[in-house]
Structure formats: structure tokens, C-alpha cells
Amino acid sequence: MPTLPSIDEARQLLGAAARDQQALQILARDRSSPVEVALFLAQQSIEKCLKAALSVRGAVLRRTHDLLLLETLAQEHGLVLPVAHDLLARLGPYAVQSRYLAAVVPTVTLAEALGASQVCLAWASGLLPVSD
């Protein structure tokens, strides 16, 4: 059974993930918005969802933006992620590399990013215990 601090941490992470997702949705509606910023927000939202799920499972979290490392940790804690490995691999570079000039990053569509962010937030939220 997860401890109260880990549940509180998960709720805080999911709140931050929801804010990232909201900003992503706003940017996605405006075709003049920089795509790499929207994809950065998708990566951040998914990262926080994975960390929240791990927190619920009582995992010790370390500071990382590596979605593939978080995927491995999630699997080690018995979690089945709702986002494909391939998409996590393609979104990962948007955490850091995409914020620098001339960075070569994988192609991810806004539709993929939005869908993954939404499904991941719903999935991670569903792992929280029901509040009294």
C-alpha cells in the first residue's frame, strides 16, 4: 500500500501534468505556435504521469527526463503503459535537445502527442486510490 506522502506526490505530479496538457492543447489550436514547444509540453506531461504512476507504486524517483528509463522502471513495478515504446522514444528528445538550435529530433505529430498526453493522464489518474 502506498504511503500518504507518495499519493500526495502523485497528485501534485498529475496536477502539473494536467497544466502541461492544457498548455499543449492551447498551442495545438494555434497553427502559428512553435511545434517543438508543444511537443516539449507533451513530453513533460507524459513524464509527470509516469512519475506519478511510479509514486503510487512506491517507487523511489530520481530526477530524470528520460521517458525510456521511466518506462523500464514502470515495467519493473508491474505497470503496463498506455503509450507505445516507439512514441516514448520519439518524444524523449523534446525534453532537452529540441530546445537548442540545430537539434535533430524525431518526428512526432501534434495529434500523436495530444493523444498520448491525454491517455497517459487518464491512465495515471486511474491509479490513484479513491479519496474519502
Side-chain angles (χ1 to χ4, degrees), residues 23-126:
L24 166 62
Q25 290 170 339
I26 291 167
L27 288 177
R29 286 193 296 263
D30 182 353
R31 292 186 186 264
S32 68
S33 295
V35 173
E36 66 277 2
V37 175
L39 295 175
F40 165 76
L41 290 166
Q43 187 283 337
Q44 288 290 289
S45 179
I46 292 168
E47 175 186 323
K48 291 168 187 156
C49 288
L50 296 179
K51 288 177 177 178
L54 286 163
S55 185
V56 167
R57 289 294 171 100
V60 175
L61 300 177
R62 55 185 165 180
R63 298 214 182 267
T64 185
H65 297 295
D66 187 340
L67 294 179
L68 297 180
L69 173 62
L70 293 169
E71 175 189 39
T72 299
L73 291 171
Q75 291 169 344
E76 289 172 358
H77 283 82
L79 294 165
V80 178
L81 276 57
V83 179
H85 173 84
D86 172 68
L87 184 54
L88 294 175
R90 288 185 290 128
L91 271 172
Y94 288 93
V96 178
Q97 292 100 319
S98 71
R99 295 169 28 203
Y100 295 93
L101 298 176
V104 178
V105 291
T107 300
V108 179
T109 68
L110 277 177
E112 283 180 298
L114 275 166
S117 175
Q118 291 167 342
V119 74
C120 206
L121 185 58
W123 167 78
S125 297

